[in-house]
Amino acid sequence: MLGLWASLLMAGPAAAGESLAQLRRTGLPALPDGATVQTLVVVDDHPAVLAADRAWVLVTPAGESPRWVARPWSAPLPLLATATQGGQSFVVAGHDGLATQPARLHLGVDGPVLRPLPPLPMPLRDVRLAAGADQLWLAGLDGDSRAVLLQLPLATPGDGWRVHPGWPDGGAPVALLAQTRALFLVQRGADAAAPDTLWRFAADTGWQPRATLPGRLVGSHVRATGQAHALFVLQVAGAGAPTLSSWQTITQGWAALPAGELPGLVHAVAWRDGWLWLDDAGRAATVEIESGRLLLKTLDWIVIVVYLVGMLGIGLYFYLREKRKSTAEFFVGGRSIPFWAAGVSLYAANTSSISYIAIPAKAFETNWQYMTNNLIAVLGLMFVAVWIVPLLRRLDLMSVFSYLETRFHPAIRMLASGLFMLTQLGSRMSVILFLPSLAIATITGIPVTVSILLMGVFTIIYTALGGMKAVVWTDIVQLVVKMGGALFAIAFMVWSLDGGWSQFVQAAAVEDKTKLFDFSFDLTKATVWGFIFLVLFDVVLTFPKDQVLMQRTLSTPNAKDAGRSIWAFAAIMIPGGFVFYGIGTALFVYYKTNPERMNPLLPIDATFPLFIAAELPSGLTGLIIAGIFAAAMATLSSIINSVSTLASVDFYEKLVKNPDPARSVRFAEWMTVAAGLVGIGFALVLSRFDIHSLFDVSIELAGLLGGGFAGAYTLGMFTRRANSQGVAIGVASSIVLTTIAWSMNLLHPYFYLAISIMLCIVIGYAASLLFPPPRRSLKGLTIFRQDAVDAPEPAATGVPAGTPR
């Protein structure tokens, strides 16, 4: 067995050194005789050649070949620079080489038209434009030859231009590029023999030298592609024609694209997945990046099928064995799950496809700072294990929201339960379902929408068969599969490096890729203080309302075992976190060494799936894909099971008079199907958007939708004065105020949940003081000793039992 693993590791990447991206060339009609070219642009996704008195627009009528069509055109001022992004072009015009008036190009009925944008705050020369992320950037030199950088928000252009400091060395810019939430500027070398250099600008770090070009940039021909790549047209020393090269903005790796020569290049413009270019004879053509499908081999499919059949077999076994007659058997496994199994299941449910795909992508792009959350969260889990979980387990709940009814009011329970269901289906299940579908699409070429449907339907069937016992025991198998695959992926990447482990450590250290702690007080970043603040609210105060996690602790035999399951969960969390963040670091070092093995068209979240598909030997690819399935299925089945639990216990059994147990189980099974279908719908909607980081999106949505009712639990457990009226006001206020903060982009996404909870606590408690204290008994409902279930009854003092003091 050891020899087999060693041989697989020694196999290395099958095609290392060979470019993964290929170029597709398409000829276009030549420009009409007599056509002159001043500027080549793209207007509403139509390439257009602009001359002094007319334009030629490339059109493709239905069923016909493309052709150039003459259209009237005139510019009030000479065009000095252009920028193209997403099929749209921006220009800046001016007199005598001084730029003053920017505009957006549109295709009118008769031809291209200019729609002015706010004028520049000062005239600039040698200007370059870049567009990206709803921002327009302009770099140039002012009257004193000082470098100036301007920024215009395209969503609110009326706000005007914002002035930033210029690049340190001054000098006229050659090109400007917006990519990866930053701006890049190309500066010409000091002489003909010196290479061009690249600067990076970001609001938080300012200007930093980034890279040296492997040649001289031709014109200003550079464009963004994917989420972290740029394409450069370079004149390489010793080469004849200009050639295309890709640059990875994260690893800073250069890769020459195969057959990327552009002989006779005169003009070029970014179009679709590459360039449309004109040569010195007036001929037009396109050159676009395309990536072949990386199909699974037979052995990969065998591994995946064996895994999936095994999971279905476990679900079917418990379905036939249990003969469920009550919702308690279906939802909490008859409260017979051992604490260690519940703890492993807690971790498996908590490490979804977000952990398996999005966290490695985040570590690949940045560093290990988000891992700080795991380290601090363990401390929070200790408090949860001692105080919160035993309290709720002693109440013998199936829905954790039953607590809110007992403590406050039935309406608060139903509202909290409904909002939690929406949060799980909309912000969690949709992301978790979309990510493995992205992996499948990357590997097989199957459209993401089809992959979502396949994964979703399979999970619905598996979950409907299972019940809580099947969910827990399959979680254990799935954890072994996904952690085994993750560890092997790290070992394979490190082994494939020429310098092995020492090269891996050195490369990671040079780029500070394993940085854990940021002690700054910047609320727009993920800092240690932010994580401490977050853990207090996200773990300690949010855990009680998380039906997905609490359902496992509620399935244990008693309160003591419920607490012990949390200790088991905490013991696995830290080493598991290092594994997933380690994947991201290994990906960074691997692709820094092998930049040609990246696909410039893919989003950052597809980095690990790309490695799995392109580099691993047959059979091992199937194992890692099974790990992705395991990561997704463990959480998806838990979410679906929890949502169906809430729908049955909090709504069906509350609204239907004298519900029959058998009918309740059937309703729960049907709700399992319904919840899965709704989650599929949300995932399909999510797939329509180009999202930079799904990890960040899941955090934002959870904070906006889930914070208010976590505050309600805090008020219920940690205060004796809070009442239903005050809690309702606190929940509503927190949701509204957090949404306002989100719309104004005031904080890092990690803070929204904590802010929402804090607002609910403060406003809810203050509002409670405006109403009479609760009259019902608080026995067993708070952490205070006088409310403990084993506390003696209060002596007769004339004060009703349970009256807050």
Side-chain angles (χ1 to χ4, degrees):
M1 179 61 71
L2 290 176
L4 174 62
W5 284 89
S7 63
L8 289 172
L9 285 171
M10 293 177 67
E18 178 183 340
S19 177
L20 201 62
Q22 303 298 320
L23 295 178
R24 180 179 70 252
R25 295 173 179 267
T26 305
L28 294 173
L31 287 175
D33 292 338
T36 58
V37 183
Q38 290 186 349
T39 307
L40 179 60
V41 295
V42 175
V43 190
D44 295 338
D45 208 33
H46 289 275
V49 171
L50 305 182
D53 58 350
R54 71 180 63 187
W56 285 267
V57 180
L58 186 67
V59 297
T60 308
E64 300 182 25
S65 300
R67 64 175 185 266
W68 296 97
V69 177
R71 291 285 187 267
W73 157 260
S74 64
L77 297 172
L79 303 184
L80 302 179
T82 64
T84 299
Q85 192 264 340
Q88 300 291 327
S89 285
F90 301 86
V91 301
V92 61
H95 279 300
D96 302 324
L98 291 177
T100 56
Q101 181 58 60
R104 188 197 304 255
L105 271 170
H106 284 280
L107 193 60
V109 176
D110 296 326
V113 294
L114 291 172
R115 295 184 180 175
L117 293 168
L120 303 184
M122 74 284 286
L124 297 175
R125 61 180 175 84
D126 297 322
V127 293
R128 291 294 181 265
L129 280 175
D134 295 325
Q135 304 289 325
L136 183 63
W137 299 87
L138 186 146
L141 305 179
D142 65 10
D144 296 323
S145 297
R146 291 176 300 193
V148 177
L149 178 66
L150 303 178
Q151 176 187 8
L152 180 70
L154 294 173
T156 57
D159 293 345
W161 292 88
R162 180 180 177 185
V163 181
H164 297 280
W167 46 105
D169 288 354
V174 179
L176 209 57
L177 167 73
Q179 178 63 289
T180 318
R181 300 176 181 173
L183 187 74
F184 299 90
L185 182 141
V186 180
Q187 193 173 20
R188 185 66 76 197
D191 52 58
D196 295 341
T197 55
L198 196 63
W199 290 86
R200 179 185 187 273
F201 173 81
D204 56 342
T205 59
W207 289 98
Q208 296 176 325
R210 201 61 178 170
T212 298
L213 277 62
R216 292 177 74 84
L217 186 66
V218 176
S220 58
H221 302 324
V222 56
R223 64 156 298 177
T225 182
Q227 289 184 339
H229 274 83
L231 298 182
F232 289 74
V233 180
L234 299 177
Q235 184 65 57
V236 180
T243 59
L244 287 177
S245 291
S246 68
W247 181 64
Q248 222 285 335
T249 62
I250 298 171
T251 65
Q252 304 180 51
W254 291 93
L257 297 177
E261 297 82 8
L262 302 176
L265 172 72
V266 177
H267 298 279
V269 66
W271 194 42
R272 296 179 179 171
D273 290 330
W275 296 90
L276 184 148
W277 61 289
L278 303 173
D279 65 11
D280 47 13
R283 293 184 294 261
T286 63
V287 55
E288 297 182 75
I289 295 177
E290 64 177 3
S291 54
R293 292 186 296 178
L294 303 165
L295 301 179
L296 297 178
K297 305 298 190 296
T298 301
L299 183 57
D300 298 319
W301 283 113
I302 291 175
V303 172
I304 293 172
V305 169
V306 168
Y307 163 74
L308 295 178
V309 170
M311 295 301 98
L312 282 177
I314 295 174
L316 183 61
Y317 169 79
F318 281 103
Y319 180 79
L320 297 175
R321 174 189 172 186
E322 295 300 315
K323 304 295 183 182
R324 298 183 295 263
K325 297 181 181 179
S326 70
T327 51
E329 294 175 358
F330 185 68
F331 293 135
V332 291
R335 305 195 193 277
S336 60
I337 304 297
F339 80 88
W340 63 267
V344 173
S345 183
L346 279 166
Y347 181 75
N350 201 54
T351 53
S352 63
S353 52
I354 294 176
S355 301
Y356 216 82
I357 298 176
I359 287 180
K362 196 70 176 177
F364 169 78
E365 183 182 7
T366 57
N367 49 40
W368 288 12
Q369 283 179 232
Y370 283 83
M371 177 66 188
T372 309
N373 183 55
N374 291 40
L375 302 177
I376 300 174
V378 169
L379 301 177
L381 288 175
M382 294 178 182
F383 182 88
V384 169
V386 173
W387 292 98
I388 294 177
V389 165
L391 185 153
L392 291 175
R393 177 61 187 87
R394 282 192 291 265
L395 297 175
D396 280 336
L397 309 175
M398 279 190 290
S399 162
V400 294
F401 297 102
S402 301
Y403 172 85
L404 294 180
E405 176 178 358
T406 306
R407 178 66 175 85
F408 296 116
H409 192 276
I412 293 180
R413 168 188 180 175
M414 298 182 74
L415 286 172
S417 179
L419 191 58
F420 179 84
M421 293 164 64
L422 177 63
T423 303
Q424 291 299 309
L425 295 176
S427 75
R428 194 136 188 262
M429 183 177 173
S430 59
V431 173
I432 291 165
L433 186 57
F434 174 66
L435 277 174
S437 299
L438 176 64
I440 295 171
T442 301
I443 293 166
T444 66
I446 299 174
V448 171
T449 53
V450 175
S451 300
I452 288 173
L453 292 172
L454 291 174
M455 278 287 296
V457 170
F458 179 87
T459 305
I460 290 171
I461 297 172
Y462 153 75
T463 307
L465 285 174
M468 177 51 73
K469 285 188 178 179
V471 168
V472 169
W473 293 109
T474 52
D475 280 353
I476 296 173
V477 177
Q478 289 163 346
L479 182 64
V480 173
V481 172
K482 63 188 176 186
M483 295 306 292
L487 288 169
F488 183 87
I490 296 174
F492 186 89
M493 282 184 273
V494 174
W495 191 280
S496 67
L497 298 173
D498 292 337
W501 177 256
S502 61
Q503 180 183 350
F504 169 75
V505 173
Q506 182 180 3
V510 167
E511 299 291 340
D512 212 13
K513 297 300 291 186
T514 57
K515 179 182 178 181
L516 265 174
F517 305 111
D518 181 351
F519 290 96
S520 69
F521 290 93
D522 189 344
L523 294 181
T524 64
K525 297 181 180 179
T527 66
V528 170
W529 314 112
F531 286 124
I532 293 174
F533 184 67
L534 177 69
V535 165
L536 171 62
F537 291 95
D538 188 25
V539 176
V540 175
L541 304 183
T542 303
F543 203 97
K545 75 153 184 71
D546 194 331
Q547 176 72 22
V548 173
L549 299 180
M550 282 298 303
Q551 198 159 333
R552 283 148 173 75
T553 66
L554 298 175
S555 301
T556 56
N558 51 57
K560 181 179 180 180
D561 281 353
R564 294 166 72 186
S565 70
I566 303 298
W567 288 103
F569 174 27
I572 307 173
M573 177 177 286
I574 292 179
F578 278 114
V579 169
F580 291 118
Y581 283 90
I583 292 174
T585 304
L587 287 170
F588 175 85
V589 177
Y590 179 84
Y591 282 120
K592 188 174 181 66
T593 307
N594 303 282
E596 73 283 351
R597 300 301 294 169
M598 296 208 77
N599 184 337
L601 300 180
L602 292 182
I604 296 173
D605 279 326
T607 304
F608 189 35
L610 172 68
F611 171 82
I612 295 168
E615 312 303 338
L616 291 179
S618 178
L620 266 300
T621 298
L623 174 65
I624 308 294
I625 294 301
I628 294 176
F629 284 161
M633 288 165 50
T635 308
L636 288 174
S637 60
S638 301
I639 292 173
I640 293 174
N641 186 262
S642 297
V643 169
S644 63
T645 299
L646 299 178
S648 179
V649 176
D650 288 344
F651 290 91
Y652 178 79
E653 294 186 359
K654 291 290 293 181
L655 299 176
V656 176
K657 294 182 179 180
N658 301 319
D660 177 73
R663 289 184 178 179
S664 294
V665 172
R666 283 196 297 272
F667 177 81
E669 292 171 344
W670 280 110
M671 284 307 303
T672 298
V673 176
L677 293 176
V678 171
I680 290 174
F682 279 122
L684 290 173
V685 172
L686 192 64
S687 70
R688 307 294 296 177
F689 298 92
D690 180 22
I691 299 173
H692 180 82
S693 173
L694 289 167
F695 186 59
D696 288 341
V697 170
S698 64
I699 292 171
E700 288 187 41
L701 292 175
L704 294 174
L705 298 176
F709 287 102
Y713 273 93
T714 304
L715 289 169
M717 291 183 175
F718 295 93
T719 76
R720 309 186 80 244
R721 182 60 178 82
N723 50 46
S724 58
Q725 300 95 324
V727 167
I729 294 172
V731 169
S733 300
S734 68
I735 294 174
V736 172
L737 294 175
T738 306
T739 303
I740 292 174
W742 169 79
S743 66
M744 298 175 66
N745 197 27
L746 297 178
L747 301 168
H748 189 277
Y750 243 67
F751 287 98
Y752 291 130
L753 181 63
I755 292 296
S756 182
I757 296 173
M758 185 174 65
L759 287 170
C760 179
I761 294 171
V762 174
I763 298 175
Y765 190 83
S768 294
L769 299 178
L770 303 176
F771 301 94
R775 305 293 297 178
R776 67 188 66 191
S777 172
L778 300 181
K779 191 175 183 63
L781 299 178
T782 77
I783 65 168
F784 297 104
R785 177 59 186 168
Q786 60 264 45
D787 297 327
V789 292
D790 57 348
E793 292 296 327
T797 60
V799 180
T803 300
R805 296 172 173 80

